[in-house]
Amino acid sequence: MKVTVFGSGYVGLVTAACLADVGNHVLCVDIDAAKIAQLTAGRVPIFEPGLTELVRKNAGEGRLRFTTDAAAGVAHGLFQFVAVGTPPNEDGSADLQHVLTVAASIGSHIDDYRLLVSKSTVPVGTAERIREAVGAKLAARGVRMDFDVVSNPEFLKEGDAIADFSKPDRIIVGAESPRAIELMQQLYAPFNRNHDRVLVMDLRSAELTKYAANAMLATKISFMNELANLAENLGADIERVRVGIGADPRIGYHFIYPGCGYGGSCFPKDVKALIRTASQADFDARLLQSVEAVNQRQKRLLFDKLKRHFGSLGGRTIALWGLAFKPRTDDMREAPSRALIDAVLAEHGAVRAYDPVAMEQARRIYGERPDFKLCDSPEAAADGADALAIVTEWRVFASPDFERLKTLLKQPLIFDGRNLYDPAWLRNAGFRYFAIGRVQASY
């Protein structure tokens, strides 16, 4: 099949590469000429395990191409995927200008039936606005043309996106046209051989499903963080509580790890957008508001612990292990690391940081400055620091040389935002260890 994907960001590029890899001919369209030049040369500007290899393979075999020509994109594909960004507005709502611009562009160039596939994370009712935008352009041209709009939200985890696309848990298709449903089933057939994963529903339900999924996961995280803070006040160990409640199959162990808050490009943005959507529908989404408030507080927790311990962070140096919002990505959008870095620097402290893949992102965000240094290794970051703070649970941090670490730090002091270590073992090794929800292990 011939497929056009508008947008060569994270979602668009993964979608394009994975669809090309099963034999489709995919044309990826983006207005960023520099990015298109990079991709054409085989350089993938985002970090995602396996993506560079997949892009280069399918481009080399002629199934994946890149262009800035929107008209060529509309002419190429029966399927017109809309996978452009929907950044948050100041009020938390999703900014749809890029989505609607693509829709208008398709309407300006369409000369045969096309199936518009909304892949971007968008508020409920966006498919109708896409249809209106295309229809307005057709009317302005004095042309009558059949087209359909479907909602096909993505459920890609950063770090596992290729596996998530290739072996999906579910394929949500929001559609009203039997023709559109049949075409989507044909397109996804290569990813659907084991059993039928396509769930067909109405457009608005499909759009809400994406927000509901991310909001549910964010709620689980904030709930566990709330319990962790309570456990700390009560003298309980949240890790034991986690194991205890996770054993209940109605709860399970997924997304119940306490920590220093969630970040990334999805959960923060989508929770805020859903709160805004609820407000526009005259509904007071109190639980979602609490999920967001708890997360904002949690992202300051490590700083608050450091502040309580030192009193003032002026002149102090904090070693920071982890910059990305989670492992297996270089994404620092809304990352807890940024909340900690910003707070320490605002107090006239200094940060020495290490991350396996997010160093360039940090350099782009913070630039070159004397109070923020990017180091070549975890040990280099710890050398001469007053304390170590851990904000990302990279595997490389799981079992460090604690004896050497004790000699590198000015004092054996660890603030662990991901509860990586055994408190009793560290205490016996001579460390002072502050974790999340584990008050009995502080000294």
Side-chain angles (χ1 to χ4, degrees), residues 10-11 15 119-121 152-157 210 214 266:
Y10 185 81
V11 173
T15 298
K119 201 72 174 170
S120 302
T121 300
N152 176 221
E154 54 85 15
F155 298 95
L156 306 177
K157 300 187 298 292
K210 168 62 178 180
N214 280 352
C266 294

Side-chain angles (χ1 to χ4, degrees), residues 135-200:
K137 286 296 182 180
L138 289 173
R141 292 167 57 195
V143 173
R144 293 177 62 87
M145 191 73 60
D146 285 341
F147 67 94
D148 283 309
V149 179
V150 304
S151 173
N152 176 221
E154 54 85 15
F155 298 95
L156 306 177
K157 300 187 298 292
E158 292 191 47
D160 294 291
I162 293 172
D164 287 342
F165 195 101
S166 302
K167 299 177 181 179
D169 300 315
R170 74 285 207 200
I171 302 167
I172 302 295
V173 175
E176 299 170 350
S177 156
R179 181 182 186 181
I181 294 169
E182 183 179 353
L183 285 170
M184 292 297 288
Q185 288 172 330
Q186 291 175 11
L187 180 67
Y188 278 110
F191 310 101
N192 205 28
R193 293 175 64 85
N194 182 268
H195 64 274
D196 190 5
R197 297 178 175 87
V198 175
L199 303 177
V200 178

Side-chain angles (χ1 to χ4, degrees), residues 60-374:
E61 294 173 1
R63 291 188 299 273
L64 179 60
R65 296 182 295 118
F66 304 94
T67 184
T68 58
D69 187 343
V74 177
H76 171 80
L78 168 62
F79 298 88
Q80 301 278 308
F81 276 79
V82 182
V84 293
T86 54
N89 288 311
E90 289 186 6
D91 62 0
S93 62
D95 184 349
L96 296 179
Q97 64 171 318
H98 303 304
V99 170
L100 297 178
T101 296
V102 169
S105 183
I106 293 171
S108 296
H109 299 291
I110 186 173
D111 60 3
D112 198 357
Y113 174 82
R114 292 291 183 266
L115 178 55
L116 281 71
V117 184
S118 176
K119 201 72 174 170
S120 302
T121 300
V122 293
V124 175
T126 299
E128 296 159 14
R129 296 184 64 182
I130 291 174
R131 183 184 291 113
E132 291 169 359
V134 175
K137 286 296 182 180
L138 289 173
R141 292 167 57 195
V143 173
R144 293 177 62 87
M145 191 73 60
D146 285 341
F147 67 94
D148 283 309
V149 179
V150 304
S151 173
N152 176 221
E154 54 85 15
F155 298 95
L156 306 177
K157 300 187 298 292
E158 292 191 47
D160 294 291
I162 293 172
D164 287 342
F165 195 101
S166 302
K167 299 177 181 179
D169 300 315
R170 74 285 207 200
I171 302 167
I172 302 295
V173 175
E176 299 170 350
S177 156
R179 181 182 186 181
I181 294 169
E182 183 179 353
L183 285 170
M184 292 297 288
Q185 288 172 330
Q186 291 175 11
L187 180 67
Y188 278 110
F191 310 101
N192 205 28
R193 293 175 64 85
N194 182 268
H195 64 274
D196 190 5
R197 297 178 175 87
V198 175
L199 303 177
V200 178
M201 57 187 71
D202 62 278
L203 285 162
R204 284 180 167 251
S205 295
E207 290 169 332
L208 182 56
T209 296
K210 168 62 178 180
Y211 277 118
N214 280 352
M216 173 63 81
L217 297 175
T219 299
K220 292 183 73 172
I221 294 170
S222 280
F223 177 76
M224 282 306 295
N225 285 335
E226 191 89 312
L227 280 185
N229 297 336
L230 176 60
E232 196 162 311
N233 286 352
L234 294 174
D237 185 345
I238 192 60
E239 290 299 322
R240 295 180 185 272
V241 175
R242 177 183 64 79
V243 173
I245 66 174
D248 186 331
R250 296 171 300 175
I251 298 173
Y253 292 105
H254 293 297
F255 280 82
I256 61 169
Y257 288 86
C260 51
Y262 61 75
S265 63
C266 294
F267 288 6
K269 175 175 71 73
D270 292 353
V271 170
K272 291 173 185 173
L274 192 52
I275 292 169
R276 181 62 180 171
T277 295
S279 175
Q280 291 171 338
D282 296 323
F283 180 74
D284 185 13
R286 295 182 183 179
L287 177 58
L288 294 176
Q289 293 167 23
S290 296
V291 168
E292 165 67 10
V294 167
N295 190 59
Q296 290 301 320
R297 182 180 65 190
Q298 202 71 13
K299 292 204 295 193
R300 281 191 58 88
L301 189 59
L302 282 187
F303 173 75
D304 291 340
K305 288 175 179 286
L306 284 162
K307 181 86 169 170
R308 280 198 300 270
H309 180 80
F310 287 113
S312 169
L313 291 177
R316 300 285 186 178
T317 298
I318 306 302
L320 182 62
W321 284 4
L323 292 163
F325 84 94
K326 71 171 189 174
R328 293 172 59 83
T329 181
D330 65 349
D331 194 344
M332 287 184 63
R333 285 173 288 185
E334 300 274 355
S337 64
R338 295 180 65 171
L340 180 56
I341 292 167
D342 293 346
V344 170
L345 298 184
E347 288 272 320
H348 306 291
V351 174
R352 297 171 57 85
Y354 172 79
D355 187 284
V357 302
M359 306 283 267
E360 284 305 314
Q361 291 293 338
R363 186 171 287 110
R364 179 183 61 80
I365 294 166
Y366 291 101
E368 299 292 338
R369 49 187 297 171
D371 54 358
F372 180 73
K373 180 174 176 58
L374 293 169

